[in-house]
Amino acid sequence: QVQLVESGGGLVQPGGSLRLSCTVSRDIFSIDAMGWYRQAPGKQRELVAHITTGGSTNYAGSVKDRFTISRDNAKRTIDLQMNSLKPEDTAVYYCNADRWTRLGYWGQGTQVTVSS
């Protein structure tokens, strides 16, 4: 029954920036890895970035060097800084942990639209 609340999305021009935030209703100290996912219309959901409790990160090739993921376990938040945005980044963005995705737990997501 975990609740995941994403925020920070919006409409931005190509080359612009957005910072997404996610708050989790449960303690995440024990969650080894959390990530940001996205789903564009007509496409499958994909993992964009993930971060471990130790601070190790991994990014999809399409966003590498443009996006930065971070987490604050005490605040129960996971952020995604997105720079140099492209139209291809347009999607609904979700935060989650693998263990919760397997249980079907998803938040409402936040819409990111990159368009001129």
Side-chain angles (χ1 to χ4, degrees):
Q1 297 86 12
V2 63
Q3 295 180 33
L4 301 154
V5 182
E6 300 93 345
S7 63
L11 174 64
V12 64
Q13 294 185 338
S17 298
L18 284 173
R19 187 177 183 89
L20 307 184
S21 295
C22 170
T23 59
V24 186
S25 66
R26 299 176 66 180
D27 184 7
I28 63 171
F29 281 97
S30 62
I31 306 300
D32 57 342
M34 298 202 68
W36 280 92
Y37 303 73
R38 68 184 181 188
Q39 186 168 31
K43 297 183 179 179
Q44 63 185 25
R45 182 180 282 124
E46 65 173 340
L47 178 65
V48 175
H50 77 262
I51 182 169
T52 70
T53 56
S56 296
T57 59
N58 197 19
Y59 299 90
S62 59
V63 307
K64 188 177 184 297
D65 299 323
R66 298 189 298 118
F67 292 10
T68 302
I69 188 171
S70 60
R71 67 190 289 175
D72 189 323
N73 292 336
K75 295 180 179 179
R76 296 181 292 170
T77 60
I78 308 94
D79 289 357
L80 185 69
Q81 177 65 47
M82 306 185 295
N83 299 324
S84 301
L85 284 162
K86 304 176 180 179
E88 307 93 274
D89 297 318
T90 296
V92 178
Y93 284 71
Y94 306 85
C95 68
N96 219 325
D98 182 69
R99 66 184 66 184
W100 294 329
T101 70
R102 288 186 273 107
L103 292 171
Y105 296 164
W106 294 95
Q108 293 297 313
T110 185
Q111 176 71 50
V112 172
T113 302
V114 185
S115 177
S116 60

